[in-house]
Coordinates of all heavy atoms in Angstrom, one line a residue:
M1 N -0.8 -1.6 5.1 CA 0.4 -0.9 4.6 C 1.3 -2.0 4.1 O 1.4 -3.1 4.7 CB 1.0 -0.1 5.7 CG 2.1 0.8 5.3 SD 2.5 2.1 6.5 CE 3.4 1.1 7.7
F2 N 2.0 -1.7 3.0 CA 2.9 -2.7 2.5 C 4.1 -2.0 1.9 O 4.1 -0.8 1.6 CB 2.3 -3.5 1.4 CG 2.1 -2.8 0.1 CD1 2.9 -3.1 -1.0 CD2 1.1 -1.9 -0.1 CE1 2.7 -2.4 -2.2 CE2 0.9 -1.2 -1.2 CZ 1.7 -1.4 -2.3
G3 N 5.2 -2.7 1.8 CA 6.5 -2.1 1.3 C 6.5 -2.1 -0.2 O 6.5 -3.2 -0.8
S4 N 6.4 -1.0 -0.8 CA 6.3 -0.9 -2.2 C 7.6 -0.6 -2.9 O 7.8 -0.5 -4.1 CB 5.3 0.2 -2.6 OG 5.7 1.5 -2.1
D5 N 8.6 -0.3 -2.0 CA 9.9 0.1 -2.6 C 11.0 -1.0 -2.3 O 10.9 -1.7 -1.3 CB 10.3 1.4 -2.0 CG 10.4 1.5 -0.5 OD1 9.7 0.7 0.1 OD2 11.1 2.3 0.0
F6 N 12.0 -1.0 -3.1 CA 13.2 -1.9 -2.9 C 14.0 -1.3 -1.7 O 14.1 -0.1 -1.6 CB 14.0 -1.9 -4.2 CG 15.2 -2.8 -4.1 CD1 15.0 -4.1 -4.3 CD2 16.4 -2.3 -3.9 CE1 16.1 -5.0 -4.3 CE2 17.5 -3.1 -3.8 CZ 17.4 -4.5 -4.0
P7 N 14.5 -2.1 -0.8 CA 14.8 -3.5 -0.8 C 13.8 -4.3 0.1 O 14.3 -5.3 0.6 CB 16.2 -3.6 -0.3 CG 16.3 -2.5 0.7 CD 15.3 -1.4 0.2
H8 N 12.6 -3.9 0.3 CA 11.7 -4.7 1.1 C 11.5 -6.0 0.5 O 11.3 -6.1 -0.7 CB 10.4 -4.0 1.3 CG 10.4 -2.7 2.1 ND1 10.7 -2.7 3.4 CD2 10.3 -1.4 1.7 CE1 10.7 -1.4 3.8 NE2 10.5 -0.6 2.8
A9 N 11.5 -7.0 1.3 CA 11.4 -8.4 0.8 C 10.0 -8.7 0.1 O 10.0 -9.4 -0.9 CB 11.5 -9.4 2.0
E10 N 9.0 -8.0 0.5 CA 7.7 -8.2 -0.1 C 7.5 -7.3 -1.3 O 6.4 -7.4 -2.0 CB 6.6 -7.9 1.0 CG 6.4 -6.5 1.4 CD 7.3 -6.1 2.6 OE1 8.3 -6.8 2.9 OE2 7.1 -5.0 3.1
S11 N 8.4 -6.5 -1.7 CA 8.3 -5.6 -2.8 C 8.4 -6.4 -4.1 O 9.2 -7.4 -4.2 CB 9.4 -4.6 -2.8 OG 9.4 -3.8 -4.0
R12 N 7.7 -6.0 -5.1 CA 7.8 -6.6 -6.5 C 8.1 -5.5 -7.4 O 7.5 -5.3 -8.4 CB 6.4 -7.3 -6.9 CG 6.0 -8.4 -6.0 CD 7.0 -9.6 -6.1 NE 6.7 -10.7 -5.2 CZ 7.3 -11.0 -4.1 NH1 8.3 -10.3 -3.7 NH2 6.9 -12.0 -3.4
F13 N 9.1 -4.7 -7.0 CA 9.6 -3.5 -7.7 C 9.8 -3.9 -9.2 O 10.5 -4.9 -9.4 CB 10.8 -3.0 -7.0 CG 11.3 -1.7 -7.7 CD1 10.8 -0.5 -7.3 CD2 12.3 -1.7 -8.6 CE1 11.2 0.7 -7.9 CE2 12.8 -0.6 -9.2 CZ 12.3 0.6 -8.8
P14 N 9.4 -3.1 -10.1 CA 8.7 -1.8 -10.0 C 7.2 -1.9 -10.1 O 6.5 -0.9 -10.3 CB 9.3 -1.0 -11.2 CG 9.4 -2.0 -12.2 CD 9.9 -3.3 -11.5
D15 N 6.7 -3.1 -10.0 CA 5.2 -3.3 -10.3 C 4.4 -3.5 -9.0 O 3.2 -3.9 -9.1 CB 5.0 -4.5 -11.2 CG 5.8 -4.3 -12.5 OD1 5.7 -3.2 -13.1 OD2 6.4 -5.2 -13.0
S16 N 4.9 -3.2 -7.9 CA 4.2 -3.6 -6.6 C 2.9 -2.9 -6.5 O 1.9 -3.5 -6.1 CB 5.1 -3.3 -5.4 OG 5.5 -2.0 -5.4
V17 N 2.8 -1.6 -6.8 CA 1.5 -0.9 -6.7 C 0.5 -1.5 -7.7 O -0.7 -1.7 -7.3 CB 1.7 0.6 -6.8 CG1 0.3 1.3 -6.8 CG2 2.5 1.2 -5.7
D18 N 0.9 -1.7 -8.9 CA 0.0 -2.2 -9.9 C -0.5 -3.6 -9.5 O -1.6 -4.0 -9.7 CB 0.7 -2.3 -11.3 CG 0.9 -0.9 -11.8 OD1 0.2 0.0 -11.5 OD2 1.9 -0.8 -12.6
L19 N 0.4 -4.4 -8.9 CA 0.0 -5.7 -8.5 C -1.1 -5.7 -7.4 O -2.1 -6.4 -7.6 CB 1.2 -6.4 -7.8 CG 1.0 -7.8 -7.3 CD1 0.8 -8.8 -8.5 CD2 2.2 -8.3 -6.5
V20 N -1.0 -4.8 -6.4 CA -2.0 -4.7 -5.4 C -3.3 -4.1 -6.0 O -4.4 -4.5 -5.7 CB -1.5 -3.8 -4.2 CG1 -2.6 -3.5 -3.2 CG2 -0.3 -4.5 -3.6
L21 N -3.2 -3.1 -6.9 CA -4.4 -2.5 -7.5 C -5.2 -3.6 -8.3 O -6.3 -3.4 -8.5 CB -4.0 -1.4 -8.4 CG -3.6 -0.1 -7.7 CD1 -3.1 1.0 -8.7 CD2 -4.7 0.5 -6.8
G22 N -4.5 -4.6 -8.7 CA -5.1 -5.7 -9.5 C -5.9 -6.7 -8.6 O -6.5 -7.6 -9.2
W23 N -5.7 -6.6 -7.3 CA -6.4 -7.6 -6.5 C -7.9 -7.3 -6.5 O -8.4 -6.2 -6.0 CB -5.9 -7.5 -5.0 CG -4.5 -7.9 -4.8 CD1 -3.7 -8.6 -5.7 CD2 -3.7 -7.7 -3.7 NE1 -2.5 -8.9 -5.2 CE2 -2.4 -8.3 -3.9 CE3 -3.9 -7.1 -2.5 CZ2 -1.4 -8.3 -3.0 CZ3 -2.9 -7.0 -1.6 CH2 -1.6 -7.6 -1.8
D24 N -8.7 -8.2 -7.0 CA -10.1 -8.0 -7.2 C -10.9 -7.9 -5.9 O -12.0 -7.3 -5.9 CB -10.7 -9.1 -8.1 CG -10.2 -9.0 -9.5 OD1 -9.8 -7.9 -9.9 OD2 -10.2 -10.1 -10.1
N25 N -10.4 -8.5 -4.8 CA -11.2 -8.5 -3.6 C -11.0 -7.3 -2.7 O -11.6 -7.2 -1.7 CB -10.8 -9.8 -2.8 CG -9.3 -9.8 -2.4 OD1 -8.5 -9.2 -3.0 ND2 -9.0 -10.6 -1.4
L26 N -10.2 -6.3 -3.2 CA -10.1 -5.1 -2.4 C -11.1 -4.1 -2.8 O -11.2 -3.7 -4.0 CB -8.7 -4.4 -2.6 CG -7.5 -5.2 -2.0 CD1 -6.2 -4.4 -2.3 CD2 -7.6 -5.3 -0.5
T27 N -11.8 -3.5 -1.9 CA -12.8 -2.5 -2.2 C -12.0 -1.1 -2.3 O -10.9 -1.0 -1.9 CB -13.8 -2.4 -1.1 OG1 -13.2 -1.9 0.1 CG2 -14.6 -3.7 -0.9
D28 N -12.7 -0.1 -2.7 CA -12.1 1.2 -2.8 C -11.7 1.7 -1.3 O -10.7 2.3 -1.1 CB -13.0 2.2 -3.4 CG -13.1 2.1 -4.9 OD1 -12.2 1.4 -5.5 OD2 -14.0 2.6 -5.5
D29 N -12.5 1.3 -0.4 CA -12.2 1.7 1.0 C -11.0 1.0 1.5 O -10.2 1.5 2.2 CB -13.5 1.3 1.9 CG -13.3 1.9 3.3 OD1 -13.0 3.1 3.5 OD2 -13.5 1.1 4.2
D30 N -10.9 -0.3 1.2 CA -9.7 -1.1 1.5 C -8.4 -0.4 0.9 O -7.4 -0.3 1.6 CB -9.7 -2.5 1.0 CG -10.8 -3.3 1.7 OD1 -11.2 -3.0 2.8 OD2 -11.3 -4.3 1.0
K31 N -8.5 0.0 -0.3 CA -7.3 0.6 -1.0 C -7.0 1.9 -0.3 O -5.8 2.2 -0.2 CB -7.7 0.8 -2.5 CG -7.7 -0.5 -3.2 CD -8.2 -0.3 -4.7 CE -8.4 -1.6 -5.4 NZ -9.0 -1.4 -6.7
R32 N -8.0 2.7 0.0 CA -7.7 4.0 0.7 C -7.0 3.7 2.0 O -6.0 4.4 2.3 CB -9.0 4.8 0.9 CG -8.7 6.2 1.5 CD -9.9 6.9 2.1 NE -10.2 6.3 3.4 CZ -11.3 5.6 3.7 NH1 -12.2 5.4 2.9 NH2 -11.4 5.2 4.9
R33 N -7.4 2.7 2.8 CA -6.8 2.4 4.1 C -5.4 1.9 3.8 O -4.4 2.3 4.5 CB -7.6 1.4 4.8 CG -8.8 2.0 5.5 CD -9.5 1.0 6.5 NE -9.7 -0.3 6.0 CZ -10.8 -0.8 5.6 NH1 -11.8 0.0 5.5 NH2 -10.9 -2.1 5.2
L34 N -5.2 1.0 2.8 CA -3.9 0.5 2.6 C -2.9 1.5 2.1 O -1.7 1.5 2.5 CB -4.0 -0.6 1.5 CG -2.8 -1.4 1.1 CD1 -2.3 -2.2 2.3 CD2 -3.1 -2.3 0.0
F35 N -3.3 2.4 1.2 CA -2.4 3.3 0.5 C -2.3 4.6 1.3 O -1.3 5.4 1.0 CB -2.8 3.6 -0.9 CG -2.6 2.4 -1.8 CD1 -3.6 1.8 -2.4 CD2 -1.3 1.9 -2.0 CE1 -3.4 0.7 -3.3 CE2 -1.1 0.9 -2.9 CZ -2.1 0.2 -3.5
W36 N -3.3 5.0 2.1 CA -3.2 6.3 2.8 C -3.4 6.2 4.3 O -2.6 6.6 5.1 CB -4.1 7.3 2.1 CG -4.0 8.6 2.9 CD1 -4.8 9.2 3.8 CD2 -2.8 9.5 2.9 NE1 -4.4 10.3 4.3 CE2 -3.1 10.5 3.8 CE3 -1.6 9.5 2.2 CZ2 -2.2 11.6 4.0 CZ3 -0.7 10.5 2.5 CH2 -1.0 11.5 3.3
D37 N -4.6 5.7 4.7 CA -4.9 5.8 6.1 C -3.9 5.1 7.0 O -3.5 5.7 8.0 CB -6.3 5.3 6.3 CG -7.4 6.1 5.7 OD1 -7.2 7.2 5.3 OD2 -8.6 5.6 5.6
N38 N -3.5 3.9 6.7 CA -2.6 3.2 7.6 C -1.2 3.8 7.6 O -0.7 4.1 8.7 CB -2.5 1.7 7.2 CG -3.8 1.0 7.4 OD1 -4.7 1.4 8.1 ND2 -4.0 -0.2 6.8
P39 N -0.6 4.2 6.4 CA 0.7 4.9 6.5 C 0.6 6.2 7.2 O 1.5 6.6 7.9 CB 1.1 5.0 5.0 CG 0.3 4.0 4.3 CD -1.0 3.8 5.0
A40 N -0.5 7.0 6.9 CA -0.7 8.3 7.6 C -0.7 8.1 9.1 O -0.1 8.9 9.8 CB -1.9 9.0 7.1
T41 N -1.4 7.1 9.6 CA -1.4 6.9 11.0 C -0.1 6.5 11.5 O 0.4 7.0 12.6 CB -2.5 5.8 11.4 OG1 -3.8 6.2 10.9 CG2 -2.5 5.5 12.8
C42 N 0.6 5.6 10.8 CA 1.9 5.1 11.2 C 2.9 6.2 11.4 O 3.7 6.2 12.3 CB 2.4 4.0 10.3 SG 4.0 3.3 10.6
F43 N 2.9 7.1 10.4 CA 3.9 8.2 10.4 C 3.4 9.5 11.0 O 4.0 10.5 10.8 CB 4.4 8.4 9.0 CG 5.2 7.2 8.4 CD1 4.7 6.4 7.5 CD2 6.4 6.9 9.0 CE1 5.4 5.3 7.0 CE2 7.2 5.8 8.5 CZ 6.6 5.0 7.5
H44 N 2.2 9.4 11.6 CA 1.6 10.6 12.3 C 1.4 11.8 11.3 O 1.6 12.9 11.6 CB 2.5 11.0 13.5 CG 2.7 10.0 14.4 ND1 1.8 9.5 15.3 CD2 3.8 9.2 14.6 CE1 2.3 8.5 16.1 NE2 3.5 8.3 15.7
W45 N 0.9 11.4 10.1 CA 0.5 12.5 9.1 C -0.9 13.0 9.3 O -1.3 13.9 8.6 CB 0.7 11.9 7.7 CG 2.1 11.6 7.3 CD1 3.2 12.0 7.9 CD2 2.4 10.7 6.3 NE1 4.3 11.4 7.3 CE2 3.9 10.6 6.3 CE3 1.7 9.9 5.4 CZ2 4.5 9.8 5.4 CZ3 2.4 9.1 4.5 CH2 3.8 9.1 4.5
D46 N -1.7 12.4 10.2 CA -3.1 12.8 10.3 C -3.2 13.8 11.4 O -2.4 14.1 12.1 CB -4.0 11.6 10.5 CG -3.5 10.7 11.6 OD1 -2.4 10.9 12.1 OD2 -4.2 9.7 11.9

């Protein structure tokens, strides 16, 4: 999970999601965990 919105220090707003999607070493499974599974677990959405 990463901070995609301002004012998180790690944010590269407004391109933070595109930046991560461009990482070649992430598999589709990694992206699913990063963008959905981990936040869903953190916020008890599952």
Side-chain angles (χ1 to χ4, degrees):
M1 191 165 72
F2 74 105
S4 62
D5 56 334
F6 183 79
H8 294 291
E10 68 273 14
S11 175
R12 299 295 179 253
F13 183 82
D15 302 315
S16 56
V17 173
D18 292 332
L19 180 71
V20 174
L21 287 174
W23 293 346
D24 294 334
N25 61 337
L26 289 180
T27 66
D28 286 342
D29 190 51
D30 293 334
K31 291 174 187 174
R32 189 195 76 245
R33 286 195 309 263
L34 182 65
F35 289 116
W36 178 255
D37 292 347
N38 293 342
T41 299
C42 179
F43 293 109
H44 305 286
W45 295 337
D46 48 355

